Amino acid sequence: MKKQRIRLTFRSYDHQLLDKAVKQVVLAVRRAGSDIVGPVPLPNKRKCFTVLRSPHIDKKSRDQFEIITHRRILDIIAPSDQTMDALSKLNISSGVDVKIA
């Protein structure tokens, strides 16, 4: 018989907010009495942008920016109704994106 599990994927630009949100979820799930696998850190995604400082004069002068996306995966094994209630009552900050699969 296959066990039921819930996979939560967290994404954020700020690693401190991300770690804080994952810690809240882990504590809530452990209080409810379910088993957890993770959090597993995934590789960071880095996007680099090069922008001209001035379009007319100093064409060779450019600024470079980057955005780094941090990710974590958390698996909840055999979640109970108490676990689902605890997860629905959590207040996760707006800088963290959570996907449930």
Side-chain angles (χ1 to χ4, degrees), residues 5 12 14 19-20 22 25 30-31 33 35 41 47 58 63 69 78 80 86 99:
R5 75 175 168 92
S12 178
D14 186 8
D19 291 337
K20 186 178 175 183
V22 169
V25 171
R30 284 198 178 141
R31 270 189 245 125
D35 293 330
K47 288 186 181 180
D58 299 327
D63 281 329
T69 305
S80 63
K99 288 187 181 178

Side-chain angles (χ1 to χ4, degrees), residues 43-78:
N44 298 334
K45 289 200 175 184
R46 179 179 259 161
K47 288 186 181 180
C48 298
F49 302 98
T50 303
V51 180
L52 292 173
R53 285 188 184 177
S54 172
H56 304 294
I57 301 174
D58 299 327
K59 177 126 176 130
K60 294 181 182 178
S61 176
R62 298 168 190 233
D63 281 329
Q64 293 182 337
F65 303 99
E66 69 179 6
I67 295 176
I68 300 174
T69 305
H70 304 274
R71 298 180 297 162
R72 306 278 188 274
I73 284 184
L74 185 72
D75 284 342
I76 302 171
I77 299 172

Side-chain angles (χ1 to χ4, degrees), residues 6 25 28-35 76-90:
I6 297 175
V25 171
V29 171
R30 284 198 178 141
R31 270 189 245 125
S34 293
D35 293 330
I76 302 171
I77 299 172
S80 63
D81 293 334
Q82 294 173 349
T83 306
M84 299 307 294
D85 290 340
L87 286 176
S88 65
K89 291 178 183 177
L90 279 179

